[in-house]
Amino acid sequence: MSVSRRQMLAAGAITGAALAGPAAAQTIGNPDQPPQGLINTTKTPRSPVDPGPQNPALYNQFPSAYTPPPTDIGDLPLFWASFNDAPRRIQAGGWARQVTQSDFQASEEISGVNMRLAAGGVRELHWHQAAEWGYVSYGECRVTVIDLEGRASVSDTKAGDLWYFPAGFPHSLQGLGPDGCEFILCFDSGKQSEYNTLLVTDWMAHTPLDILAQNFGVAPDTFKNMYTHDLWIYQGELPGPLAADQAAVRSAQGLPPNPFTFSLGSGPIAKQNPGGTVQIADSQNFKAAKTIAAALVTLKPGGLREMHWHPNADEWQYYVKGTAQMGVFNTGPKSVTNDFKAGDIGYIPRNLGHYIKNTGPVDLVFLEVFRADKYEDISLVDWLAHTPPAMVAAHFNIPVQQIAKFPNTDSAVRPPLAS
Ligand code: MN
Ligand code: MN
């Protein structure tokens, strides 16, 4: 693009101070040309000022967006969303809210639901086009499901537990005592909506009475008090003992060979160091979960989920507690940083590099969820530690002896540097 002398003069009239000196040189940590970031405005202190209008309560949530690190460059499709600002559909018995691809364009492979069931509250018997993966964040929940062989399952789940229902498998959920439950659902399609499920009450109400009578082998007036609308969520009575429900549903075919529930929170730790822990649930240990793999990550204050990427699926994140900063990298180069709090959602397309840092004074806990049968990641540290050292040294202009100090394992999390 050619720039005329007139345009140069006009630009100079506006930004004369900045153009008066030589352009700032690119430096480590401030690599962009033209320069980007607050550190480039020391000679023009009015440059970063935001005279408003402002909504401080909102923008104070996003220090990394308001004042990006000078290494940020370019733009990426928004990778932040939240249940915190999603409208709740509230009914007697509980509520739900959701973030699908309609709300969050990047989330092509996964849509998310946040649901609460009061003690006795029931999410009615239903099924849907996508597989459903659940994570209990609070309380206890009774889960019913039946498989293709007619093998029925009833199980109770607690905070930290998972469930998985293949697409089309009919199921129900009910909050237990003393205070019901809250949970996160992930569907293995960004388009699946919690408000677009096949409800058993809808079907029954919209089937002729003579067909119902023949189907169930009872007189038509058996159905005379049936509801003419669906229930979706309703307030029910607390169920009896688990063993009684299990006995009531048992079929001659026995139990499903692989449980539809799994304890992630109290399950084995896959990776651990002073920076935190990673627990993994995929089809290798949670055999029923054929299309959703997940990791529960706990980062200690100052801990880092190290620089990595996932070759087999996009990553859908749910922030359970704490505060985080995430940086995402793509070709271009593009590098964008944003901030996350409890109830927020992150989304990283497959193979894009990223890290997550605990920026708060307490543990950061978040879920990594993938539309995949197996959890897979590639660690930058692990890769470079197992590449010929002279080649790595040449890439970064670092003495080869320093390369030898890089950790030589993929521990997934890193503690703060010793000061
Ligand atoms: Mn469902
Ligand atoms: Mn990741």
Side-chain angles (χ1 to χ4, degrees), residues 15-353:
T15 59
L19 294 180
Q26 292 153 290
T27 56
I28 306 305
N30 182 22
D32 305 332
Q33 202 59 264
Q36 294 185 27
L38 189 65
I39 63 171
N40 300 295
T41 65
T42 51
K43 290 179 182 165
T44 60
R46 290 295 298 164
S47 302
V49 170
D50 174 11
Q54 297 169 339
N55 178 345
L58 195 52
Y59 83 64
N60 284 339
Q61 304 276 313
F62 305 99
S64 300
Y66 190 70
T67 308
T71 44
D72 271 22
I73 186 169
D75 62 335
L76 288 171
L78 186 65
F79 55 83
W80 179 96
S82 188
F83 290 117
N84 290 297
D85 65 347
R88 289 197 302 163
R89 175 174 167 180
I90 303 173
Q91 297 189 191
W95 53 260
R97 52 190 171 186
Q98 66 178 8
V99 177
T100 73
Q101 195 177 14
S102 300
D103 317 295
F104 187 23
Q105 191 189 358
S107 65
E108 185 173 335
E109 297 188 352
I110 304 264
S111 70
V113 174
N114 177 203
M115 188 179 290
R116 153 87 174 150
L117 295 172
V122 175
R123 173 64 174 90
E124 79 156 86
L125 293 157
H126 70 282
W127 68 103
H128 31 72
Q129 303 291 351
E132 170 178 326
W133 178 96
Y135 169 82
V136 182
S137 57
Y138 170 82
E140 296 188 21
C141 185
R142 181 161 298 179
V143 176
T144 78
V145 59
I146 191 165
D147 76 4
L148 299 173
E149 315 299 326
R151 295 173 293 207
S153 162
V154 186
S155 46
D156 286 352
T157 56
K158 62 183 187 306
D161 289 355
L162 309 179
W163 61 71
Y164 179 86
F165 309 134
F169 280 40
H171 53 275
S172 71
L173 306 165
Q174 183 169 24
L176 299 175
D179 187 36
C181 57
E182 187 168 337
F183 49 86
I184 296 298
L185 303 180
C186 289
F187 296 117
D188 65 354
S189 162
K191 293 185 170 62
Q192 177 68 50
S193 165
E194 182 59 24
Y195 311 139
N196 181 27
T197 60
L198 293 124
L199 302 177
V200 72
T201 50
D202 272 343
W203 197 15
M204 295 284 282
H206 294 88
T207 299
L209 275 180
D210 63 309
I211 300 293
L212 290 180
Q214 183 177 358
N215 192 71
F216 291 99
V218 294
D221 72 353
T222 305
F223 302 98
K224 64 177 189 269
N225 295 325
M226 203 167 59
Y227 299 110
T228 53
H229 56 85
D230 66 62
L231 298 175
W232 190 61
I233 287 175
Y234 68 91
Q235 182 61 56
E237 301 290 329
L238 270 177
L242 176 63
D245 269 359
Q246 288 174 330
V249 305
R250 190 156 297 145
S251 68
Q253 288 74 30
L255 291 169
N258 299 314
F260 289 103
T261 58
F262 181 83
S263 185
L264 175 61
S266 52
I269 289 171
K271 291 172 180 171
Q272 180 170 30
N273 73 25
T277 60
V278 178
Q279 293 159 281
I280 292 171
D282 64 15
S283 64
Q284 299 203 323
N285 54 1
F286 182 15
K287 292 192 187 319
K290 298 288 190 212
T291 65
I292 298 280
L296 181 66
V297 181
T298 301
L299 290 182
K300 297 293 177 190
L304 179 73
R305 175 74 177 91
E306 63 173 46
M307 299 165 79
H308 69 280
W309 65 93
H310 306 275
N312 63 334
D314 296 355
E315 173 175 340
W316 185 96
Q317 300 172 329
Y318 174 71
Y319 286 84
V320 179
K321 68 176 186 178
T323 55
Q325 177 191 64
M326 178 162 67
V328 180
F329 165 73
N330 196 4
T331 61
K334 293 177 177 178
S335 182
V336 177
T337 310
N338 215 334
D339 305 287
F340 297 81
K341 288 180 158 58
D344 291 348
I345 298 166
Y347 197 91
I348 309 112
R350 72 180 66 194
N351 289 319
L352 299 199

